Amino acid sequence: MRPWHHPFSRLGGVGGLAVLALAGGAGGTTTAHPQRAAASQAVNALVGDAVCSGDSDCRTIAMPDQACGAPQGWLAFSIRRTDPVALQQALQRLAAYPASSVSTCGVIPDPGATCVPVPTSSAPEARQCRLRSRASGGPVS
């Protein structure tokens, strides 16, 4: 499975967060499901830039995108900027419009999240929550 990347992190070349990557997942597109696109945009807006000052600011939440309801993957976010309850509600709305009606329903363990420097930022102190790599325990790039 490819790592997830938040659309804003693509601007700076760093990854680890994503929502829109799922919007057109296997078998579906955002143009075929305008409600899904709107729900995905709402999740992106809530996650924002996932700014953090340390690992304690970072959390993960399951992306319920498989047809069976199991997580398609995980999303890293910062509790400094994101209300976890509002994010959960937005993800429930997103789950109402699955990208595909077929899935393997495999279990994807929670990788956890970490606060890492944003190397392309003009501010040297800029940090962002990102998913940990399952293999190394470090951030997903």
Side-chain angles (χ1 to χ4, degrees):
M1 175 184 250
R2 295 179 357 165
W4 295 40
H5 300 282
H6 189 278
F8 297 145
S9 67
R10 290 274 192 204
L11 297 176
V14 292
L17 303 174
V19 177
L20 290 181
L22 291 178
T29 65
T30 56
T31 56
H33 301 286
Q35 297 91 345
R36 181 175 172 74
S40 183
Q41 289 171 352
V43 171
N44 283 331
L46 284 167
V47 171
D49 53 9
V51 168
C52 56
S53 60
D55 287 348
S56 63
D57 292 334
C58 300
R59 302 286 188 277
T60 56
I61 193 166
M63 296 293 297
D65 201 46
Q66 292 194 52
C68 66
Q72 177 69 25
W74 296 85
L75 175 66
F77 68 96
S78 172
I79 58 171
R80 290 179 66 189
R81 299 267 176 107
T82 303
D83 174 4
V85 173
L87 181 57
Q88 180 64 47
Q89 291 169 344
L91 286 167
Q92 288 172 347
R93 288 189 296 275
L94 181 64
Y97 306 102
S100 174
S101 60
V102 178
S103 70
T104 61
C105 209
V107 176
I108 301 170
D110 182 347
T114 187
C115 184
V116 298
V118 180
T120 58
S121 174
S122 59
E125 70 281 354
R127 296 174 63 82
Q128 178 183 57
C129 293
R130 292 183 42 200
L131 294 176
R132 292 183 187 275
S133 163
R134 281 175 259 207
S136 68
V140 174
S141 54

